[in-house]
Amino acid sequence: MGPTEILERQAPDSQMLYGFWYRAFPGGLVGPSELRKTILLETPLVVGRDMDGKPFALNDACPHRGMPLSCGWFDGQQVECSYHGWKFDAQTGQCQLIPSLTADQKLKVDRIYAGSYPCEERDSYIWVFIPEPSPPGAGFTKQVDAGIAAPQIEKFSEKFKTAFLNADMPVSVDHGIIGLMDPAHGPFVHQAWWWRARHSIHEKRKNFEPIPNGFRMSAHAPSSNSAPYKLLRLYADADSITTTIDFVLPNLRYETIRAGKYWFSSLTTVTPITRSQCRIDVVACWNIFRWMPFGPSLLKFVFAKFVEQDRHTMELQSEGLKHNPHLMLIDDADRPAKWYFALKAAHLETKRTGVEPQHPMDGPVTLKWRS
Ligand code: FES
Ligand SMILES: [Fe+2]
């Protein structure tokens, strides 16, 4: 793939990847018999949970005449459209009733579907599998099989705490993701006296290796110029603290920190909402600070600060992006972003041709930058 292609893929209107699981919203936001609407990859959805508490997701447009099903009623089992009262099974989307039919009218109601999506609740979030957009004739199709479970956070002990936070970003998913993996913005965007000072910028070397559908920043000792890591080293009294960061298509960033028997594990996702909007969700699990009264809130405070700094930066960036300026990716700091665009292009190429995707990395490499 040549540099021009990479640059093209940088455009804010880059493609969204179908055929993957995406986070919809925190599971706590939808109670029994409630219907909640959301948009993932420009697909309007209505999400709820049935009487057993199991979440479901349906197209938020009735297959009859397009009325949003989120305007209808839900009894814990069936969703009823508010326009002509058609009823659909919440889990399968299969039509159960068309009130206008007379006894001698033989329309096969059960052949009609309201478009349902595989839906799972995991690590405090409801996830929805978004398949390739359906061909014409939708409205008569059963749910596709995701073929794989929704991603989850790796945990290393029985007991742990969980917290999450999210923020909407007015940029395309690509800018959201490369912002997430960009090491060079730290000293400028994430300054805070309790974290690190701008003048602490220094040269870093990190090892990366290819993994299926992504790349890994190999286990390494965390950056010495960040305060929380200094604290952690003291607290855990461990000889070694290692952190591993994986990026996996379409939008998953796993970070694992281990220090003796203590661990901290997070999964951050950047979800395309529309072509020009995305949302970042961070979910973290840990067994550190379990007995420290302010531990979890302190951690959440630090993360919230970070996410807000990123969100604010991208809000400003979106102004600059409005008129499609030329952009560039430089070595080595933007190499992970280049890998992301190449992985994405390879994935799309495989979808088109069926040929095995080519990984953009030949093997392990060391990248250098100052941050
Ligand atoms: S639009 Fe839904 S029942 Fe007619
Ligand atoms: Fe950041």
Side-chain angles (χ1 to χ4, degrees), residues 236 238-241 258-263:
D239 301 336
S240 74
I241 300 178
R258 304 197 65 176
K261 62 179 179 176
Y262 297 105
W263 57 272

Side-chain angles (χ1 to χ4, degrees), residues 113-236:
Y113 285 86
S116 74
Y117 297 79
C119 192
E120 282 180 19
E121 196 158 7
R122 222 169 265 277
D123 301 326
S124 314
Y125 263 73
I126 291 177
W127 292 74
V128 179
F129 181 84
I130 306 290
E132 296 295 328
S134 32
F140 296 97
T141 42
K142 293 185 186 166
Q143 184 179 105
V144 302
D145 182 10
I148 175 177
Q152 63 176 312
I153 300 174
E154 203 183 348
K155 294 120 190 153
F156 304 91
S157 59
E158 285 277 290
K159 286 189 172 171
F160 55 85
K161 291 221 153 80
T162 304
F164 61 82
L165 50 96
N166 47 53
D168 291 303
M169 317 264 194
V171 292
S172 77
V173 65
D174 285 345
H175 283 292
I177 284 179
I178 67 175
L180 193 70
M181 58 180 59
D182 160 22
H185 74 286
F188 304 93
V189 172
H190 301 303
Q191 291 180 60
W193 62 266
W194 40 264
W195 179 256
R196 53 167 296 162
R198 186 164 168 173
H199 59 75
S200 74
I201 189 166
H202 64 253
E203 188 174 311
K204 287 178 188 150
R205 294 167 154 268
K206 295 277 155 70
N207 299 322
F208 290 82
E209 57 191 286
I211 56 174
N213 269 321
F215 51 86
R216 164 172 300 165
M217 188 193 281
S218 322
H220 63 282
S223 169
S224 57
N225 53 358
S226 70
Y229 290 128
K230 285 181 202 154
L231 259 178
L232 178 62
R233 172 159 289 155
L234 272 177
Y235 170 72

Side-chain angles (χ1 to χ4, degrees), residues 62 64-67 69 81-86 88:
C62 179
H64 182 215
R65 284 236 271 290
M67 175 62 100
L69 291 175
C81 181
S82 61
Y83 201 172
H84 311 94
W86 292 21
F88 304 93

